Amino acid sequence: MKRLALAAIATLLAAQPAQAQSILRDAETEAMFADMSVPLVKAAGLSPRDVRVVLINDDSINAFVAGGQTVYVHSGLLQAATNANQVQGVIAHELGHIADGHVVLADAGIKPAMNITLLSMVLGLAAIAAGAGEAGAGLMALGQSAGMGKYLSFSRTQESAADAAGARYLTTAGITGKGMLSFFKTLQQQEYRYGVENIDPFMQTHPLSGDRIAHLTADLQASPAWNKPSDPALEERFRRVKAKLEGYVMTPDRTLKDFPETDSSIYGHYARAYAFHKAGYPDKADVESLALIKADPNDPYFQEVRGQILLEAGRPAEAVAPLRAATEGTRNNALIATTFGHALIATENKANYPEAIRVLRVATGRDDENPFAWYQLGTAYELTGDTARAALATAERASMNGDHRTAAQSARYALANIPANTSDWIRAQDIAMAAQNDMDDNPKKYKKR
């Protein structure tokens, strides 16, 4: 019975775990997210070192938090936003959920709703057993509706609190709230298209956008930052990111319609470089990347896109130079360094393997949650005959992917062949112990078939 009640409540949970969707990782986008969110994170009393903003490949207009201190932003939201300030408003709202512990407190809304649903089911089943089938079914339906309403009311209260908190963070950070309000107006237009008269405000997880605008306008307009222009440099970065995102997630036909080849802007070249690359036209993609580099030879992200195009077109030796420039230009950004290390390995030139190992060790040290980086590092070690550290890299990747049996086996091999008490040996020991503990705690999960 409890399982049935939980099923009725589960449909109320709007936030999906990130694991159910694909994460889009891009160095330029992540740098933009970090820079636009830092003042807001500080205003929320949180540490920029602990908060991440992650892009999700989903065309719906949404953002959410699902535990921890990570804000998940859908690609559809970036596409719908017209400026960076709107995205900052969304991030400020989500930080309100984090700072106020709304995910942790979710049980406070779910449990009362579940209790109402359970009670109605008990009474309904009793009525059915007594021969009043129609009345019993009515009781169950009424209880589920009441339980849902109870949870949705709780959710709307949390959303309103996050709106208010986000407005405070914008004011404290000295950032105008115009973007927050204008984005709510974008959402309001969607409601109008759907037909507001068809929307039951009491059956929504969020307050209606018009109500949110009405509640926030006075406070945001009273902020000293209300008439402060949004950071021009940040807005330029947003336009670039939005263009490259369209080239990556939209169909090539759609991208070429929005950015025809007559468009000689940076945004046009950026979008088409990704569109042509995805469509399987590496030569056309390379022409667009060269146009970007001609516009700014020192831009590391332009160098990155050219290196990526060349590498994936089967020309790794030519990709090395632009990827080296991109890595150096971003002070060894982990994502770009991983691609650089991959290119060095793909040249199949033994002289490049030691550099690949150095580059990839830095990359995994800065971003140890990148399975591809660990795979490349393991490959480089294997090619140079260092099977022990290749096994350690495999253990790292397997541990990250939840494959604790492989993690334990690979870590034990590394322990047996890496000099004792070195940093790599200690890391192998940690992985082996953690993996073994997980297998001991979950024997059914690892039972041999």
Side-chain angles (χ1 to χ4, degrees):
M1 188 179 298
K2 183 176 181 181
R3 185 177 302 161
L4 290 173
L6 283 171
I9 299 300
T11 59
L12 309 178
L13 302 179
Q16 302 178 40
Q19 290 81 355
Q21 299 155 307
S22 62
I23 292 176
L24 294 177
R25 299 210 60 189
D26 171 69
E28 184 175 14
T29 302
E30 291 182 3
M32 180 196 71
F33 277 151
D35 290 343
M36 69 164 49
S37 64
V38 162
L40 296 167
V41 171
K42 291 180 178 178
L46 303 170
S47 170
R49 290 177 298 179
D50 299 328
V51 177
R52 295 175 60 213
V53 182
V54 173
L55 184 63
I56 298 291
N57 189 7
D58 190 311
D59 62 4
S60 61
I61 303 174
N62 193 24
F64 62 91
V65 295
Q69 296 189 33
T70 301
V71 175
Y72 298 95
V73 176
H74 285 197
S75 57
L77 188 146
L78 279 192
Q79 290 172 298
T82 57
N83 56 60
N85 187 231
Q86 290 185 343
V87 180
Q88 285 180 302
V90 172
I91 292 172
H93 168 91
E94 298 303 330
L95 290 173
H97 285 304
I98 294 174
D100 290 345
H102 287 172
V103 175
V104 177
L105 298 173
D107 279 353
I110 295 173
K111 286 181 179 178
M114 189 170 68
N115 289 339
I116 293 173
T117 304
L118 282 170
L119 178 60
S120 71
M121 291 182 71
V122 171
L123 295 175
L125 289 172
I128 292 171
E134 186 174 340
L139 277 171
M140 293 172 70
L142 183 63
Q144 289 186 3
S145 178
M148 183 176 290
K150 182 77 172 178
Y151 176 79
L152 291 174
S153 175
F154 174 82
S155 176
R156 289 193 299 274
T157 299
Q158 284 196 326
E159 295 299 332
S160 294
D163 283 348
R168 290 198 306 274
Y169 303 155
L170 288 165
T171 297
T172 302
I175 298 172
T176 179
K178 289 181 179 180
M180 175 179 264
L181 287 186
S182 64
F183 196 72
F184 281 145
K185 289 176 182 177
T186 297
L187 298 179
Q188 188 179 41
Q189 290 302 313
Q190 283 200 328
E191 293 170 359
Y192 286 147
R193 284 196 293 271
Y194 176 77
V196 175
E197 67 276 6
N198 297 321
I199 299 176
D200 183 349
F202 298 107
M203 295 305 290
Q204 307 302 311
T205 57
H206 293 59
L208 293 181
S209 299
D211 294 336
R212 301 172 85 173
I213 293 168
H215 292 151
L216 290 170
T217 297
D219 288 340
L220 289 172
Q221 288 182 342
S223 168
W226 174 252
N227 287 316
K228 180 180 178 181
S230 185
D231 181 358
L234 186 60
E235 294 296 342
E236 170 64 17
R237 293 168 69 184
F238 171 78
R239 287 190 288 270
R240 284 175 42 159
V241 163
K242 188 174 178 179
K244 72 192 293 188
L245 176 64
E246 171 159 342
Y248 184 79
V249 302
M250 303 299 286
T251 64
D253 288 346
R254 166 64 185 276
T255 302
L256 292 174
K257 180 180 178 181
D258 292 340
F259 297 94
E261 293 187 65
T262 53
D263 181 352
S264 60
S265 68
I266 291 296
Y267 322 117
H269 291 306
Y270 230 166
R272 291 193 301 272
Y274 279 90
F276 284 137
H277 181 52
K278 185 173 71 171
Y281 296 101
D283 292 339
K284 288 187 174 182
D286 193 30
V287 168
E288 301 293 348
S289 71
L290 286 170
L292 290 169
I293 292 173
K294 182 179 179 181
D296 187 351
N298 296 317
D299 190 301
Y301 301 117
F302 295 166
Q303 296 285 353
E304 178 199 16
V305 68
R306 178 152 201 260
Q308 184 179 356
I309 289 168
L310 291 170
L311 173 61
E312 295 180 14
R315 298 156 63 184
E318 296 174 65
V320 166
L323 288 173
R324 179 181 282 114
T327 302
E328 293 172 353
T330 56
R331 298 182 180 180
N332 293 300
N333 174 275
L335 289 177
I336 296 176
T338 297
T339 307
F340 177 34
H342 180 199
L344 289 167
I345 294 168
T347 63
E348 299 183 356
N349 183 342
K350 293 181 180 180
N352 288 331
Y353 298 160
E355 183 180 11
I357 290 173
R358 290 195 300 274
V359 167
L360 290 165
R361 280 191 71 101
V362 172
T364 53
R366 292 190 171 190
D367 181 6
D368 61 359
E369 296 182 0
N370 185 344
F372 185 68
W374 286 112
Y375 174 78
Q376 292 300 319
L377 180 58
T379 300
Y381 277 131
E382 190 73 34
L383 289 169
T384 56
D386 192 342
T387 57
R389 286 180 175 79
L392 176 56
T394 298
E396 292 276 12
R397 182 165 56 92
S399 178
M400 191 182 310
N401 292 332
D403 182 359
H404 295 293
R405 178 178 284 119
T406 299
Q409 293 171 346
S410 299
R412 291 192 193 105
Y413 179 87
L415 273 172
N417 293 279
I418 292 175
N421 300 319
T422 60
S423 60
D424 286 341
W425 185 89
I426 293 171
R427 179 57 186 158
Q429 184 181 59
D430 289 344
I431 295 173
M433 291 176 62
Q436 189 61 52
N437 288 340
D438 186 83
M439 290 190 289
D440 292 343
D441 292 342
N442 301 280
K444 292 183 180 179
K445 180 180 176 182
Y446 295 97
K447 183 179 179 181
K448 291 184 178 180
R449 296 178 182 177

